[in-house]
């Protein structure tokens, strides 16, 4: 399966603290609700990068932090990981991004609010100024917190031997990918994001959504379906896989783990279904953790779960 050296990827996008407000009882609308507040490192790109590292890949992270204590803390945490950090820059004025997640007692997300303005500073000019060696990767992985012109720049770096993966982060932001679908060798989105990109109703069958995205130019598609599992499409195949059973502690970061495990498996040469099953196993491990990346995630653990 592949060469002896692990694939190298560059991951571009969000890195911030996830602040999680978990309520001991169901939220009451229009009232002050008691919660337990805790924080951990998060952000789609940061989570993807750590998950890919844990799965044995070489990873460069490209992100933007503010000139504040939160940025200092995140950078210190990144330096404890064997990540390439030449692409991490600091803003002169914009604060580090903010993400607050309200969790129900069962760990499901009620709502989240975020200030992601700093990622507008990740411009093509900023990326062009980074060391050229950073882009000598087998895959570029971009989240949709990036401006559309930056996603287009990254699509332009895609070439033979260097594939591009795009990760949806919200129905509003995934619109940025619409003109770039033909550059997406891998596309990971949820059902609502898939519907936006396909121009279809969210109630459309997942298999039909996946086929529409393939027809629009995407190479391979993963549609996450929550409790219903995932829909995979590529190479003429379209299949649905059920979610793996297990305890739920916190859903935050599960989609990022799923995307990372799928990409790692495909870059290593595993077939579509095997990659999907490993993706579901990574998601299961993550929802069992209080953190946005599971400390239990290893290739051996995924083998054990999917055996």
């Amino acid at each position: 399966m592949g060469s002896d050296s692990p694939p190298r990827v560059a991951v571009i996008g969000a890195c911030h603290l996830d602040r999680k407000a978990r309520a001991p009882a169901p939220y009451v609308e229009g009232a002050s609700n008691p919660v337990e507040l805790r924080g951990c490192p998060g952000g789609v790109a940061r989570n993807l990068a750590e998950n890919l590292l844990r799965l044995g890949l070489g990873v460069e992270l490209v992100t933007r932090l503010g000139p504040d204590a939160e940025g200092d803390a995140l950078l210190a945490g990144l330096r404890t990981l064997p990540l390439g950090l030449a692409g991490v820059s600091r803003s002169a004025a914009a604060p580090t991004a903010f993400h607050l997640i309200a969790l129900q007692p069962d760990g499901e997300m009620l709502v989240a609010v975020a200030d992601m303005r700093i990622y507008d500073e990740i411009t093509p000019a900023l990326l062009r100024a980074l060391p050229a060696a950073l882009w000598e990767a087998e895959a570029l992985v971009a989240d949709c917190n990036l401006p559309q012109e930056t996603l287009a720049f990254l699509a332009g770096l895609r070439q033979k031997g260097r594939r591009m993966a795009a990760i949806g982060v919200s129905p509003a932001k995934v619109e940025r990918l619409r003109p770039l679908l033909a550059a997406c060798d891998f596309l990971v989105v949820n059902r609502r994001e898939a519907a936006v990109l396909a121009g279809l109703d969210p109630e459309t069958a997942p298999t039909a959504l996946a086929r529409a995205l393939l027809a629009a130019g995407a190479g391979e598609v993963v549609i996450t379906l929550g409790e219903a599992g995932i829909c995979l499409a590529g190479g003429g195949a379209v299949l649905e896989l059920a979610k793996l059973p297990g305890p739920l502690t916190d859903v935050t970061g599960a989609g990022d783990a799923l995307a990372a495990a799928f990409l790692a498996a495909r870059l290593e040469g595993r077939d579509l279904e095997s990659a999907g099953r490993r993706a579901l196993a990574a998601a299961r491990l993550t929802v069992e953790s209080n953190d946005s990346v599971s400390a239990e995630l290893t290739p051996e653990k995924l083998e054990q779960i999917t055996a």
Side-chain angles (χ1 to χ4, degrees):
M1 263 187 351
S3 64
D4 291 336
S5 59
R8 293 199 59 80
V9 298
V11 184
I12 308 98
C15 174
H16 46 255
L17 289 175
D18 281 338
R19 293 177 173 86
K20 306 178 184 186
R22 183 189 290 270
Y27 282 93
V28 178
E29 187 175 350
S32 177
N33 290 266
V35 298
E36 177 185 331
L37 187 66
R38 64 184 303 272
C40 68
V44 174
R46 198 219 71 88
N47 291 347
L48 282 163
E50 184 176 349
N51 281 310
L52 288 165
L53 271 179
R54 290 181 177 277
L55 293 173
L57 278 67
V59 184
E60 295 279 349
L61 177 63
V62 180
T63 193
R64 187 85 162 160
L65 302 173
D68 44 33
E70 289 84 356
D72 292 342
L74 284 163
L75 186 57
L78 292 173
R79 285 174 173 156
T80 68
L81 300 171
L83 280 169
L85 298 177
V88 178
S89 60
R90 305 291 292 268
S91 174
T96 298
F98 171 87
H99 192 212
L100 175 63
I101 306 145
L103 295 169
Q104 295 281 18
D106 63 1
E108 290 285 357
M109 183 187 299
L110 173 69
V111 69
V113 295
D115 178 355
M116 305 287 179
R117 289 171 293 168
I118 192 171
Y119 302 129
D120 292 339
E121 296 185 4
I122 305 179
T123 61
L126 182 74
L127 298 189
R128 287 190 194 99
L130 296 176
L134 189 150
W135 305 113
E136 296 304 317
E138 292 175 51
L140 307 176
V141 186
D143 76 43
C144 287
N145 286 298
L146 299 170
Q148 186 171 42
E149 60 268 24
T150 303
L151 291 167
F153 171 80
L154 293 169
L157 294 178
R158 172 182 172 265
Q159 59 187 24
K160 185 176 181 181
R162 183 184 303 139
R163 290 176 280 182
M164 179 169 169
I167 315 298
V169 300
S170 72
K173 291 182 178 180
V174 83
E175 281 272 13
R176 301 168 184 177
L177 280 180
R178 190 187 289 271
L180 305 171
L181 283 174
C184 297
D185 298 285
F186 305 106
L187 176 66
V188 183
V189 288
N190 65 27
R191 188 170 187 162
R192 290 175 61 205
E193 293 159 358
V196 167
L197 284 175
L200 297 171
D201 189 281
E203 295 306 310
T204 302
T207 53
L209 290 173
R211 288 191 178 94
L213 292 173
L214 293 180
E220 295 184 4
V221 177
V222 181
I223 302 177
T224 60
L225 304 171
E227 289 297 313
I230 57 175
C231 178
L232 303 172
V238 180
L239 62 151
E240 292 180 277
L241 298 176
K243 174 188 171 184
L244 297 178
L248 170 60
T249 299
D250 181 348
V251 297
T252 314
D256 304 332
L258 186 150
F262 177 82
L263 291 171
R266 291 299 283 142
L267 292 173
E268 291 166 357
R270 294 179 186 270
D271 64 46
L272 190 71
E273 182 174 350
S274 173
R277 294 195 183 282
R278 289 173 76 84
L280 288 164
R284 197 195 88 177
L285 281 174
T286 306
V287 300
E288 293 174 3
S289 170
N290 279 310
D291 295 322
S292 298
V293 174
S294 171
E296 300 295 316
L297 181 65
T298 63
E300 295 75 20
K301 190 69 172 179
L302 296 188
E303 289 285 354
Q304 177 185 336
I305 295 173
T306 57

